[in-house]
Amino acid sequence: MSVPEAAEFLGLSRASAYRYAEAGLLPTKRFGRRVYVVRARLSDLLESNDAPEAGAA
């Protein structure tokens, strides 16, 4: 999923989601210049309660 889609899903701003992705707090894959959040790894992250909290970055 795209970073903006992940932001909406997580209840974050688009800018915060990109900051989390850059910091390595969101599981991402890069294809060329595009950055995508890996859905399966995001689900695992949410289930483990290690997800970033809004305002933490």
Side-chain angles (χ1 to χ4, degrees), residues 31-51:
F31 294 103
R33 296 184 66 200
R34 295 179 186 236
V35 178
Y36 294 97
V37 176
V38 181
R39 246 180 245 263
R41 289 181 43 206
L42 182 61
S43 295
D44 293 342
L45 180 71
L46 293 174
E47 289 175 6
S48 71
N49 287 331
D50 291 338

Side-chain angles (χ1 to χ4, degrees), residues 1-4 18 21 28-37:
M1 81 174 51
S2 69
V3 175
Y18 276 106
T28 58
K29 275 287 196 191
R30 191 175 270 282
F31 294 103
R33 296 184 66 200
R34 295 179 186 236
V35 178
Y36 294 97
V37 176

